[in-house]
Amino acid sequence: MGRRDTAALLALLDQDPVANIFTRSQLALHRSAVPDGFAHLLGINGEDGLESACWVGANIAPTAMSNEQARAYAQYALDTRQRFASVFGPAQTVLAMREVLATGPQDFFDVRENQPMMSIRRRSEAVAIRSLRVATLQDFDLVLPASAAMFEEELGYSPLENGGGYYRSRVRQLIREGHTLIDTDEYGEIIFKADLGTVTTAAVQIQGVWISPRYRGQGMSAGYMAATVAYALRFAPTVSLYVNDFNQPAIRSYERVGFEQVGTFATILF
């Protein structure tokens, strides 16, 4: 896609600001359908203009495409000979891409086929835990191990292996932007952490939710998530997240807060 496609891409993405939040945030960052660096955006035009789009960079993020188009985009991605960390987006599309990507040189590390995508548009009726606060750069040495623990529980390996320079930079960036929330106990250890991982003017996506193992099972997560939602609503009118279907305790907690399922994502990890 070229710079002349920016307005059409924006209109396409804004048809579903929750599902398309990643690519929408990239469009806001680069202010164009031509990103900086090696990533690029692909599109397919129909009779009425831009019909679907796909972000292809370190990750693949599809937007509004048929299964046939999904397979075509996946083949293009293979033809670039790039290596990818993940593919994520609407489940039907991602799973259609899987058929083609499975023929490529990279093995799948995992495929998460059913990830409920949930959203909320109001303050929660659950009682928010008011001690949740915005982390500062002085909290970096507390936040980093909590973030890494969440990542390792999710994916089975530490993001700090081999130094973890990119991961450290990402944690620091979220703190600097005021997008990391924490609460600590009387010993200064983190009880709960959450990130506003992606933020646009239309929606916020909560990521990196983690509660210390010593505080789990005490019914605290709903209160912390209610406070996180209240903070996130300062940035956009819709707050969203997606969660693995096997994480039933988290799903129940989000439902208590007032999140409702609005779609289903899938993720391929390489």
Side-chain angles (χ1 to χ4, degrees), residues 149-172:
M150 178 282 303
F151 186 102
E152 189 164 2
E153 288 178 18
E154 177 76 10
L155 297 180
Y157 66 94
S158 172
L160 302 180
E161 293 178 3
N162 302 316
Y166 173 80
Y167 190 79
R168 292 172 188 271
S169 176
R170 173 62 174 162
V171 170
R172 188 174 284 107

Side-chain angles (χ1 to χ4, degrees), residues 242-260:
Y242 62 98
V243 57
N244 294 312
D245 62 335
F246 53 77
N247 194 348
Q248 288 298 312
I251 292 173
R252 289 193 294 269
S253 176
Y254 299 149
E255 289 174 342
R256 286 197 297 274
V257 172
F259 281 91
E260 297 179 347

Side-chain angles (χ1 to χ4, degrees), residues 42-243:
L42 309 174
I44 293 177
N45 286 327
E47 293 182 359
D48 297 321
L50 187 63
E51 200 169 77
S52 64
C54 190
W55 171 275
V56 179
N59 307 292
I60 299 174
T63 295
M65 60 186 66
S66 67
N67 288 355
E68 181 181 2
Q69 290 175 344
R71 288 187 282 269
Y73 282 116
Q75 185 60 56
Y76 177 92
L78 289 184
D79 292 343
T80 67
R81 300 184 182 276
Q82 292 177 217
R83 296 186 66 83
F84 307 103
S86 68
V87 184
F88 54 87
Q92 182 174 329
T93 299
V94 170
L95 298 178
M97 286 186 156
R98 176 178 62 177
E99 300 172 16
V100 175
L101 296 173
T103 68
Q106 287 186 264
D107 293 330
F108 297 161
F109 171 74
D110 195 6
V111 180
R112 311 279 173 90
E113 296 187 7
N114 182 5
Q115 298 174 305
M117 182 172 64
M118 310 179 80
S119 71
I120 185 171
R121 295 180 58 85
R122 65 187 186 283
R123 283 177 172 265
S124 172
E125 296 180 2
V127 177
I129 295 180
R130 297 185 179 277
S131 53
L132 190 70
R133 64 177 177 85
V134 179
T136 69
L137 287 174
Q138 291 180 329
D139 298 308
F140 176 79
D141 288 340
L142 281 177
V143 174
L144 180 63
S147 297
M150 178 282 303
F151 186 102
E152 189 164 2
E153 288 178 18
E154 177 76 10
L155 297 180
Y157 66 94
S158 172
L160 302 180
E161 293 178 3
N162 302 316
Y166 173 80
Y167 190 79
R168 292 172 188 271
S169 176
R170 173 62 174 162
V171 170
R172 188 174 284 107
Q173 176 190 8
L174 287 168
I175 295 173
R176 186 179 293 114
E177 292 175 344
H179 291 172
T180 295
L181 300 171
I182 61 171
D183 191 18
T184 55
D185 62 17
E186 58 184 336
Y187 305 106
E189 299 298 320
I190 288 185
I191 302 172
F192 175 89
K193 181 199 75 74
D195 301 314
L196 309 188
T198 309
V199 178
T200 71
T201 56
V204 174
Q205 186 178 94
I206 297 173
Q207 300 171 0
V209 177
W210 183 83
I211 190 164
S212 171
R214 74 179 65 180
Y215 291 99
R216 294 175 189 175
Q218 300 182 28
M220 303 169 71
S221 59
Y224 280 124
M225 286 302 297
T228 302
V229 167
Y231 180 71
L233 285 170
R234 300 180 188 181
F235 295 86
T238 300
V239 181
S240 68
L241 53 82
Y242 62 98
V243 57

